Amino acid sequence: MRAARALASPWAWLVIVVGGLVLAWVARDLITPFGPADVRADRIMLPPGSPGSPLGTDNFGRDLVSRLITGVPVSVAAGILPATASMAVGTVIGLVSGYVGGRLDRILMSLMDVLLAFPFILLALLAVAILGPSFINAMIAVAIAILPRNARIIRAETLSLRERDYVTAARLAGAGAPSILVGHMLPNVLPTALVVGSTEVGQMIAATAGLSYLGLGVHAPDVDWGTLIQEGGHFLAFAPTLALIPCALLALVSILFVLAGDDLRHRLGGVSRSGALT
């Protein structure tokens, strides 16, 4: 019963799927004898189920299993790192803006509003166009694109917290703004930041893969799931699995992160209502 209840949690499936992918990447030399960039003229466009290449090969004879596994750390990092960085910066901006208020609040939020005026993907495209196409710049671009929303969420939480009794008591006791922000405000906005950030990981994975699909992210000889979808898209008519398999894997991992973040929101929401997070 306990095992069945545990498997009903999206966190369990996230650990199973992502953990399995990471283990596959660690043991990739044992799983397949082919490297991700090995060109084999005698193995071009093998169908799924072929000996040595259970998922088939591409137009250069490169093994799809090897290329999918090689793209694991890049694709997963493309979600975790931008989401973490964007939420960290957004938390700082939201805390300072919400607590200090006044002219600084108006300046910071006006800047966030300008960024919010752009649709997410257009802002990411603009950022990567300015920075230049590369994997690092693609992660920076999607982090910048999600930053205004994060800052706004944390600012709203800060505005609701700064009038609480414990903040007023700390202020009357002579605590300075840095001490109040770090000691009283930050611990109370962290649950919100954690929930929002964990939900955004899936979105960041898909967004960075989208930039790679457009040729603005990972470039050969490096590989991620976005480049695999782009390369496989040329052969949809007679070898659809080259694009559909990495697309399904990308969708699965992204959705699991979103579901895990939503589950965390419900769990922490229940704790917050019971008063444990005050």
Side-chain angles (χ1 to χ4, degrees):
M1 182 68 70
R2 241 178 231 183
R5 191 180 298 113
L7 287 176
S9 169
W11 284 100
W13 287 105
L14 180 64
V15 170
I16 291 171
V17 172
V18 176
L21 289 172
V22 172
L23 288 176
W25 177 77
V26 172
R28 59 191 180 278
D29 293 335
L30 301 176
I31 294 175
T32 174
F34 305 108
D38 290 351
V39 176
R40 301 292 183 100
D42 58 331
R43 296 177 57 80
I44 290 177
M45 301 302 289
L46 293 179
S50 300
S53 297
L55 297 182
T57 61
D58 64 8
N59 57 317
F60 291 106
R62 297 173 298 190
D63 181 59
L64 183 57
V65 169
S66 177
R67 291 175 67 75
L68 281 172
I69 294 174
T70 301
V72 167
V74 175
S75 298
V76 174
I80 295 175
L81 295 179
T84 302
S86 179
M87 181 48 70
V89 176
T91 298
V92 173
I93 293 175
L95 277 173
V96 173
S97 179
Y99 182 77
V100 175
R103 179 176 297 179
L104 179 62
D105 179 39
R106 291 194 296 272
I107 292 173
L108 290 175
M109 288 303 103
S110 295
L111 179 59
M112 295 300 104
D113 288 342
V114 170
L115 296 177
L116 278 172
F118 292 89
F120 172 83
I121 190 62
L122 290 182
L123 185 56
L125 288 172
L126 176 62
V128 80
I130 294 172
L131 297 171
S134 72
F135 173 61
I136 299 298
N137 290 343
M139 289 196 297
I140 295 173
V142 295
I144 292 173
I146 206 68
L147 174 62
R149 190 178 74 177
N150 291 340
R152 275 287 185 183
I153 291 172
I154 299 301
R155 174 183 177 269
E157 189 77 7
T158 303
L159 289 174
S160 69
L161 291 172
R162 71 178 184 181
E163 303 302 329
R164 298 284 180 92
D165 292 342
Y166 59 87
V167 175
T168 303
R171 194 182 298 121
L172 293 175
S179 175
I180 293 174
L181 286 173
V182 174
H184 298 280
M185 307 290 280
L186 181 59
N188 283 279
V189 301
L190 277 181
T192 300
L194 183 61
V195 169
V196 175
S198 60
T199 305
E200 288 174 348
V201 171
Q203 183 182 357
M204 297 296 97
I205 292 176
T208 309
L211 292 177
S212 293
Y213 178 87
L214 296 173
L216 300 174
V218 173
H219 291 139
D222 297 325
V223 61
D224 75 338
W225 298 336
T227 59
L228 292 181
I229 296 171
Q230 191 275 332
E231 293 169 357
H234 299 294
F235 310 103
L236 279 176
F238 55 91
T241 54
L242 289 177
L244 294 181
I245 291 175
C247 188
L249 186 58
L250 173 66
L252 173 63
V253 174
S254 300
I255 290 172
L256 283 176
F257 270 108
V258 172
L259 291 177
D262 188 62
D263 179 70
L264 182 63
R265 177 177 64 84
H266 287 297
R267 292 174 184 269
L268 292 183
V271 173
S272 180
R273 283 189 296 271
S274 68
L277 294 177
T278 58

